[in-house]
Amino acid sequence: MKSTLVKSAAPNRHRSSGPHRPKPGVEAQTVVLLAQSSEDVFRRCVSLALQITRATTSMVLLYRPGLDVLEVVAASGHLAEEATGRQLRRGEALGWRVFDSGEVQSVERAQDIAEAYFVSGRAQPGMYLGVPLLDPEGQVLGVLSADTTDSPERLDAADAQALLLLGQAAGVAYSRWLALEHAQVTARQFERLATLTPELDRLTRPEEIARLALQALIEVSGFTSGAVFGIDSQGQATLTVLEGEEYEGPPSAAQLREPHPPAGLVAEVLRTGSPQLVPDYMSWSGARVHSIYTAAAAPLRSRGQVVGVIGLMHTRHRHEAPGEIMTLLGMVAARIDQALERASGLEYLHQTREAALRALGRVLEGRDGDTFGHTDRVTTLALQLGEALGRSPEDLQHLRWGAYLHDIGKVAVGDDVLRKPGELTAAERRLMQRHVVVGDDMLRDEVFVPRAVREVVRHHHERWDGSGYPDRLAGEAIPLLARIFSVVDVYDALVSERPYKRAWPQSEALAELERCAGSQFDPQIVEVFVNLEKACSVLL
């Protein structure tokens, strides 16, 4: 991720250079110690920049890679409110020099430089100083800038050093806050989506189903509006639901509620039959509504046929959509599809939950980066083993749901730990092991998730000899379904290729299960599973 800065107009303001000037090192540390959020880091940063330098204006711009713009996310000084939120394309600000070079840039007469950006729209005399904001790995996140517009002050080497110290502290603090907030947002997204299915189950009218789904999507995606278009048998589109902020026409919402030939992003989704994301809608050649800045849409299907389009819009500014937005949109579209197709109450509730939980499990496994297909494989193996053990249909359903959700707690584990290629430290291992407790806690309040499912989530890393986690249960104190699932979970991990290991042959994997029977696994379950797999391999 990268970012950069701009140049703004400001009135005369004199900065003291006497003995009471704040110490930049001490002030920089307050950014790390006192900030309450990623946004607060930069608000404090620009305020401190004015205190510890001779500048009259300070700004922070972050690079938005999806839009390829620099956005002013914090400003202090003259016209600060007007500057905040502005997005600048390449070549529209001196901050791009800092961003592209990754080095400090100082301009004596900014008013003479063509790409200097003035918030007021008028070039005014003053110096410009910009320093890169770096994350802990040294990647450029953005730019911290200061200027002396309409001021007799000059920004010297001491000011540059002060900004560098402040920028370094801010970059590290921002990265840490961003990682924490992203984990929290991801957890909230999946929690919200997990609650969506039972909420949809209580509704029967298509419009109510679509409206509730749109509200959930807007809530977790950061978009301002959502819409659903129906497609009739003649291929005409009709706006059926509009949720969130209204957008300005033309065409108006009233016009779109009348049957009309599909156009814009609706037409593109119908043409491709797949989800579409347009980060900069206003400059997109297919744009139809010119008050939309960013848009995403996905098809709605019934019995395999596209019968509508669900879309998200941002009507205030270009929106850097979260990376998982298309997955989330597709998941919700699938849930709407299922909700609209249900033939009977109880059967449909079961099908919706199954599809939602399976989709959730597959999305969760995608975070690992090296376990694609793991959820489907262990679900199949667990059901085969459960049937061989004579478990009831209810137990098999609980086992299936447990397989879907067994790693849901990993949404609270950061990518730095989850995707670490090498061996985990003791602290990282403890954090990773917490995922079973987090998963249990996340599902505890979900009334549609039975206790037996949560037991699979919480206890599938317990060991027969009592040395597992999180509760160090032993023997038959470990819930039966968790014992069943732990065998197939480890087996799939052994026979699957990972970046850090080869895929084991089936014979070696089964031998390893037998070796660990009585210590890690229930020996009777291992015996049944090994015989089952050997029989299947003979049939194949």
Side-chain angles (χ1 to χ4, degrees):
M1 187 176 179
K2 295 183 176 179
S3 184
T4 270
L5 216 359
V6 291
K7 175 80 184 62
S8 138
N12 280 308
R13 286 169 60 184
H14 182 74
R15 291 287 174 191
S16 172
S17 58
H20 299 296
R21 191 177 185 188
K23 295 180 180 180
V26 174
E27 294 294 322
Q29 291 303 312
T30 65
V31 173
V32 179
L33 298 176
L34 300 180
Q36 301 299 307
S37 66
S38 60
E39 292 182 354
D40 191 39
V41 169
F42 292 137
R43 286 195 295 265
R44 291 176 180 272
C45 181
V46 293
S47 178
L48 287 171
L50 293 190
Q51 295 179 34
I52 63 179
T53 71
R54 296 182 174 86
T56 57
T57 307
S58 178
M59 298 187 190
V60 166
L61 277 77
L62 286 182
Y63 179 63
R64 304 303 191 189
L67 306 174
D68 194 30
V69 298
L70 296 172
E71 181 180 347
V72 182
V73 296
S76 184
H78 185 55
L79 297 180
E81 291 187 6
E82 292 87 339
T84 303
R86 297 201 181 187
Q87 295 178 337
L88 306 174
R89 300 176 185 273
R90 290 186 175 274
E92 289 184 344
L94 288 171
W96 282 106
R97 293 187 178 185
V98 183
F99 176 77
D100 290 334
S101 67
E103 298 177 351
V104 176
Q105 297 288 325
S106 177
V107 177
E108 184 77 23
R109 293 173 53 84
Q111 68 271 23
D112 296 336
I113 307 301
E115 69 260 40
Y117 179 83
F118 293 86
V119 175
S120 67
R122 296 179 293 105
Q124 295 174 281
M127 285 191 65
Y128 170 87
L129 177 64
V131 301
L133 294 169
L134 305 177
D135 68 11
E137 284 72 45
Q139 295 298 309
V140 181
L141 296 169
V143 177
L144 169 61
S145 73
D147 65 63
T148 62
T149 303
D150 267 0
S151 166
E153 293 284 2
R154 298 185 69 260
L155 300 175
D156 56 21
D159 292 303
Q161 182 62 26
L163 279 192
L164 273 174
L165 289 173
L166 183 56
Q168 290 170 359
V172 171
Y174 173 74
S175 297
R176 291 175 178 173
W177 270 109
L178 198 63
L180 175 61
E181 290 167 355
H182 180 74
Q184 293 171 336
V185 167
T186 300
R188 287 196 297 270
Q189 287 175 341
F190 286 118
E191 287 177 325
R192 181 66 187 93
L193 291 178
T195 65
L196 180 59
T197 295
E199 291 175 3
L200 291 179
D201 289 343
R202 294 192 292 268
L203 303 177
T204 57
R205 295 178 54 211
E207 182 177 330
E208 292 177 335
I209 292 170
R211 192 174 301 281
L212 179 62
L214 285 174
Q215 290 170 354
L217 274 172
I218 293 170
E219 180 182 334
V220 301
S221 69
F223 282 84
T224 61
S225 309
V228 170
F229 287 84
I231 307 298
D232 63 23
S233 57
Q234 283 73 46
Q236 296 288 292
T238 304
L239 175 65
T240 58
V241 178
L242 181 61
E243 191 66 22
E245 295 183 3
E246 291 275 353
Y247 61 83
E248 298 178 359
S252 66
Q255 290 173 314
L256 294 175
R257 288 191 174 95
E258 297 295 327
H260 58 274
L265 196 53
V266 173
E268 185 66 12
V269 170
L270 295 176
R271 184 185 68 81
T272 62
S274 61
Q276 300 292 321
L277 173 64
V278 181
D280 188 358
Y281 186 87
M282 285 194 170
S283 64
W284 181 50
S285 59
R288 184 185 183 194
V289 180
H290 297 291
S291 57
I292 296 175
Y293 291 86
T294 300
L300 295 172
R301 291 183 169 85
S302 176
R303 295 180 174 83
Q305 299 296 315
V306 176
V307 296
V309 174
I310 181 171
L312 293 171
M313 302 160 285
H314 206 293
T315 58
R316 300 179 198 164
H317 53 73
R318 283 172 286 180
H319 177 54
E320 188 171 14
E324 62 273 17
I325 185 58
M326 301 312 290
T327 300
L328 296 176
L329 185 58
M331 288 175 61
V332 173
R335 296 185 191 191
I336 295 175
D337 298 342
Q338 295 161 355
L340 296 177
E341 287 181 8
R342 65 179 176 263
S344 62
L346 292 178
E347 178 62 23
Y348 173 73
L349 293 178
H350 174 74
Q351 293 174 353
T352 303
R353 288 168 180 164
E354 287 289 328
L357 294 176
R358 179 173 178 268
L360 181 57
R362 297 184 70 182
V363 170
L364 289 169
E365 77 179 20
R367 284 195 66 217
D368 288 352
D370 58 359
T371 61
F372 183 75
H374 171 70
T375 298
D376 285 345
R377 292 194 300 271
V378 295
T379 300
T380 300
L381 290 171
L383 292 177
Q384 291 173 348
L385 179 54
E387 290 174 355
L389 290 167
R391 304 319 304 167
S392 68
E394 183 180 36
D395 276 348
L396 294 178
Q397 175 182 295
H398 294 162
L399 187 58
R400 182 167 60 250
W401 287 13
Y404 292 156
L405 298 172
H406 70 282
D407 277 340
I408 189 173
K410 286 185 178 179
V411 298
V413 180
D415 286 348
D416 58 328
V417 175
L418 191 62
R419 298 189 176 188
K420 184 176 180 178
E423 185 177 353
L424 299 180
T425 65
E428 290 169 338
R429 191 176 300 108
R430 287 193 296 270
L431 179 62
M432 179 69 81
Q433 290 177 353
R434 282 282 302 166
H435 81 274
V436 294
V437 177
V438 172
D440 181 28
D441 290 341
M442 289 174 63
L443 298 172
R444 189 173 298 275
D445 295 331
E446 303 305 327
V447 295
F448 77 95
V449 179
R451 178 178 178 179
V453 175
R454 289 180 20 239
E455 288 177 343
V456 174
V457 173
R458 184 181 184 94
H459 297 299
H460 69 279
H461 284 294
E462 303 282 6
R463 293 172 60 98
W464 185 257
D465 61 9
S467 63
Y469 63 87
D471 301 316
R472 300 183 68 84
L473 301 182
E476 294 186 357
I478 304 170
L480 175 60
L481 299 187
R483 280 182 271 152
I484 293 173
F485 183 76
S486 67
V487 172
V488 302
D489 190 35
V490 171
Y491 175 75
D492 184 72
L494 292 175
V495 299
S496 300
E497 183 177 357
R498 303 288 171 80
Y500 51 85
K501 76 168 191 67
R502 64 178 177 84
W504 289 28
Q506 183 193 50
S507 59
E508 292 183 16
L510 294 177
E512 178 66 11
L513 294 182
E514 292 177 317
R515 186 185 70 80
C516 296
S519 58
Q520 183 172 355
F521 307 113
D522 182 331
Q524 293 183 348
I525 292 177
V526 169
E527 181 181 2
V528 173
F529 181 74
V530 170
N531 291 336
L532 182 65
E533 285 301 294
K534 288 181 177 178
C536 289
S537 64
V538 171
L539 291 175
L540 291 175

